[in-house]
Amino acid sequence: MIVLPDTNIRTLQPVSELYYFDRQDTALPRKMTALAAWNTIMSDPQPLLQRAFQIRDVISSVFGVKRIGGFSGTRVGQVNVGDYLDFFLVEYVDDECLVLTERDRHLDVMTCISIANDTLSVTSSVCVHNTFGRAYMIPVGFAHRWIVRGMFRRLRRQLS
């Protein structure tokens, strides 16, 4: 795990070594912890995203990749390193940073939810391990940016 310079953002490796990197920021209307931001964003999973996870699981299982099931919408009051939030393993947590990973035979994914002042950042970093991982990232890399933007819109609506 790498901490990006002058931030509290974590990535799998230095940005120049990643297969995929995306960071998106939004202003928070009020102070909150990284876990509270996660809970708010994920409290009502997007139906289209749930369907995408179902399709992903069917296709990926053919290639020996474990099913992940998607997001449950379950809110949690506290997490510790080693706990799971849906399919993500919690690898780091404090009030301003929540680092979640999913590691499999085709790729490793790290999602970092971080807060600095009044800005929420969602940063995703990916390392691929094989051809299936590269093929998998073609639609996921494109869709990911739209998904995070949608999550930010939902967050702003819920907090206003």
Side-chain angles (χ1 to χ4, degrees):
M1 185 179 329
I2 304 293
V3 180
L4 297 184
D6 303 317
T7 73
N8 63 350
I9 296 170
R10 274 89 170 154
T11 60
L12 287 164
Q13 296 177 350
V15 174
S16 63
E17 296 176 25
L18 295 169
Y19 185 83
Y20 178 84
F21 174 81
D22 180 55
R23 175 184 171 186
Q24 296 186 53
D25 303 319
T26 193
L28 287 171
R30 66 175 186 245
K31 187 171 177 62
M32 62 189 341
T33 66
L35 180 59
W38 168 267
N39 280 329
T40 303
I41 290 169
M42 302 312 295
S43 64
D44 185 22
Q46 300 169 12
L48 188 58
L49 185 57
Q50 292 301 98
R51 184 68 180 139
F53 275 114
Q54 291 170 348
I55 293 167
R56 176 249 181 238
D57 283 350
V58 168
I59 294 169
S60 295
S61 65
V62 172
F63 295 94
V65 175
K66 67 184 172 187
R67 294 176 181 265
I68 57 175
F71 298 112
S72 66
T74 303
R75 289 178 174 263
V76 295
Q78 179 180 348
V79 292
N80 296 299
V81 171
D83 291 346
Y84 280 85
L85 290 175
D86 293 317
F87 57 88
F88 279 122
L89 173 66
V90 176
E91 287 203 16
Y92 179 86
V93 63
D94 65 23
D95 283 348
E96 281 114 23
C97 186
L98 175 63
V99 176
L100 307 169
T101 60
E102 172 58 26
R103 299 173 191 268
D104 207 329
R105 60 191 296 173
H106 66 304
L107 51 76
D108 295 339
V109 175
M110 178 178 283
T111 297
C112 178
I113 293 90
S114 57
I115 296 175
N117 301 314
D118 65 346
T119 301
L120 169 66
S121 299
V122 173
T123 306
S124 296
S125 57
V126 177
C127 296
V128 298
H129 303 307
N130 56 33
T131 302
F132 180 72
R134 285 185 286 284
Y136 177 89
M137 284 307 298
I138 293 170
V140 171
F142 176 76
H144 182 270
R145 289 174 176 89
W146 293 100
I147 292 166
V148 173
R149 287 181 194 133
M151 289 176 172
F152 282 169
R153 280 191 302 276
R154 293 165 69 99
L155 174 76
R156 287 189 295 271
R157 275 196 308 267
Q158 290 179 24
L159 295 179
S160 59

